[in-house]
Amino acid sequence: MLHLLKRYLLTQRPEPLVQRKIDLDNMAFCRMLSIMVILFESYMLLRFGLFGNKADTFYLLRTVSYFAFLTCSIVWFFLSGYAKKHIRSHAAMLAVGLGYAALAVIWSMVISVVDYINGGQVLVFLTIIITVSGFAFLAPVISSLFFTACFAAFYLVLLRADGAAHIEMTNYVIIWLMVIFTSIARYHTKLSDTKARLEYRQLNRKLRKLSLYDELTSVKNRHCLSLDLPSFVNRELFLMLVDVDGFKLLNDRYGHNHGDDVLQQFARILQHHFYTQNVYRYGGDEFIVAVCNCAKPVLLEKIEQCRADMAALHIGTGDAGLSFSGGYTFATIQNQSEFDSLLACVDEALYRSKKNGRNQVSGADWQA
């Protein structure tokens, strides 16, 4: 039993990302509550203020309290909206949410005391405090103390009014406990739900990244190339297919871990000169570079810069630098079929570079 109480009451502070999401949701709840109050208080002002009995002893108190709560709710509507966009501090968010909750409870006490003195029920207080328990701004222990203080303060006011003669104590205690349990359950539910949603989003982002980017080199993958195809249509496209010379021998001699390192460095060189958004890993040690609307001399210069950077990479002491071979062409395509044909053209140019001694990038002419 003690273990369960400790588990549900003494919770650790959530991680910053989780806390931030809970704070934002609380501000959204605060805005929704303030809108409801604005509509309700506007109605009550018309009913009791404009068309009410002005001879009533509590007419002025009711009218002023309705107007005051309406005004504060309008302020809190804009304040909570501002907090969502501009406030990062949890303490400040807590002050906004807790401030409005305390204001609502105090107002409900005033109205309920007036209703109670006039022989009515304390439904306004009970309605507001049950609604406020929908906030998840406080840890269980603090929220329990907050609501206990609210119920105790209200009961003391009723006790002073007429000895709380018309309050059924058993029901009052039951409602007090229900509000506390609701608040605790709300907090834990909100906490677990927020954690689950954030984990789902992180997993979704990770899966999306895996579906679009090569895990080893972090460049775009073959699937992403097909998704980017519409951006190539009706534009002057430079397409190049390259691979590392003697890559299989590198793997056999130095191991696959070193081969992976070579691919990563090759990818970084291509990204550096042709930019990340234009480089794709096509498969194995093959990479595609696709650039639109760039001058041919600039692109040919970038190829030579890539070759120089590869030559500066060394596998081990005394070994020659690395090299790559490739094929490229310039064209304007209209559809997927023409892109496939263009890809076959640069693949033939790559094969020709290999056949002619490697360490070279050959151009090709493509016809639609």
Side-chain angles (χ1 to χ4, degrees):
M1 186 67 177
L2 291 175
H3 175 71
L4 285 176
L5 286 174
K6 183 177 179 181
R7 176 184 173 186
Y8 284 104
L9 292 177
L10 302 177
T11 57
Q12 294 182 343
R13 185 173 179 177
E15 297 177 3
L17 194 62
V18 175
Q19 185 63 71
R20 175 63 182 170
K21 185 66 177 70
I22 292 176
D23 287 341
L24 292 175
D25 288 347
N26 279 328
M27 289 303 99
F29 183 80
C30 189
R31 296 203 94 193
M32 181 191 71
L33 184 58
S34 64
I35 292 173
M36 293 173 59
V37 170
I38 289 169
L39 295 174
F40 182 74
E41 293 308 293
S42 297
Y43 165 75
M44 297 302 283
L45 268 177
L46 288 174
R47 178 183 175 186
F48 288 99
L50 188 60
F51 301 107
N53 181 12
K54 295 180 175 57
D56 190 327
T57 306
F58 297 101
Y59 170 79
L60 184 60
L61 178 61
R62 280 185 181 276
T63 304
V64 170
S65 67
Y66 289 144
F67 180 77
F69 195 32
L70 172 63
T71 304
C72 290
S73 295
I74 293 173
V75 171
W76 247 271
F77 172 79
F78 291 105
L79 183 59
S80 57
Y82 176 84
K84 283 187 68 176
K85 293 182 179 180
H86 302 289
I87 296 179
R88 303 291 302 180
S89 167
H90 168 62
M93 287 281 206
L94 183 62
V96 174
L98 187 57
Y100 189 61
L103 178 72
V105 171
I106 292 172
W107 171 82
S108 71
M109 286 183 182
V110 173
I111 298 300
S112 290
V113 167
V114 171
D115 291 340
Y116 181 80
I117 292 173
N118 284 282
Q121 301 295 320
V122 293
L123 294 179
V124 175
F125 170 74
L126 297 179
T127 301
I128 289 294
I129 204 159
I130 289 173
T131 302
V132 166
S133 68
F135 274 109
F137 52 79
L138 292 174
V141 169
I142 302 176
S143 66
S144 298
L145 294 174
F146 173 79
F147 289 116
T148 298
C150 292
F151 273 88
F154 185 58
Y155 187 77
L156 288 175
V157 173
L158 297 182
L159 195 63
R160 186 176 180 82
D162 69 346
H166 298 92
I167 288 292
E168 176 58 53
M169 194 61 185
T170 301
N171 293 339
Y172 195 74
V173 171
I174 290 174
I175 296 173
W176 163 62
L177 291 174
M178 183 181 70
V179 168
I180 288 179
F181 289 143
T182 299
S183 176
I184 294 173
R186 166 68 175 165
Y187 182 85
H188 284 284
T189 301
K190 186 65 179 176
L191 189 62
S192 60
D193 178 64
T194 303
K195 287 181 178 178
R197 280 191 290 164
L198 290 175
E199 289 173 358
Y200 173 78
R201 288 179 184 177
Q202 290 172 354
L203 178 61
N204 193 46
R205 283 195 295 267
K206 184 177 180 180
L207 291 175
R208 176 173 172 78
K209 183 177 180 181
L210 288 174
S211 70
L212 298 177
Y213 292 86
D214 176 57
E215 187 174 8
L216 175 64
T217 61
S218 297
V219 301
K220 295 180 179 180
N221 60 21
R222 193 166 182 168
H223 174 60
C224 193
L225 177 65
S226 64
L227 294 178
D228 288 348
L229 177 62
S231 66
F232 304 151
V233 173
N234 292 325
R235 303 175 70 187
E236 186 179 5
L237 175 65
F238 165 78
L239 188 70
M240 179 173 69
L241 177 65
V242 294
D243 69 10
V244 179
D245 291 329
F247 183 70
K248 184 178 183 305
L249 294 176
L250 291 175
N251 270 334
D252 293 342
R253 182 176 180 183
Y254 297 102
H256 289 281
N257 288 338
H258 195 84
D260 289 346
D261 184 53
V262 169
L263 292 178
Q264 289 171 340
Q265 293 186 66
F266 185 35
R268 280 195 287 268
I269 289 172
L270 293 174
Q271 287 176 298
H272 175 70
H273 293 289
F274 290 101
Y275 308 117
T276 302
Q277 68 269 22
N278 300 317
V279 180
Y280 305 82
R281 187 180 180 188
Y282 195 61
D285 63 324
E286 289 186 328
F287 290 83
I288 282 180
V289 176
V291 184
C292 291
N293 299 335
C294 187
K296 182 175 181 179
V298 173
L299 293 167
L300 296 182
E301 177 62 25
K302 288 180 178 294
I303 292 174
E304 293 307 312
Q305 291 170 348
C306 288
R307 292 183 62 214
D309 286 351
M310 279 294 282
L313 295 178
H314 293 272
I315 302 301
T317 304
D319 291 323
L322 297 171
S323 65
F324 67 90
S325 298
Y328 72 87
T329 191
F330 292 85
T332 300
I333 60 170
Q334 304 296 324
N335 50 49
Q336 175 75 56
S337 177
E338 290 186 355
F339 180 78
D340 292 340
S341 174
L342 190 66
L343 192 56
C345 177
V346 294
D347 188 34
E348 290 178 6
L350 168 61
Y351 177 76
R352 189 164 61 251
S353 296
K354 293 286 188 183
K355 187 177 180 181
N356 293 336
R358 301 180 179 178
N359 193 20
Q360 56 188 280
V361 181
S362 304
D365 293 324
W366 176 78
Q367 298 295 328

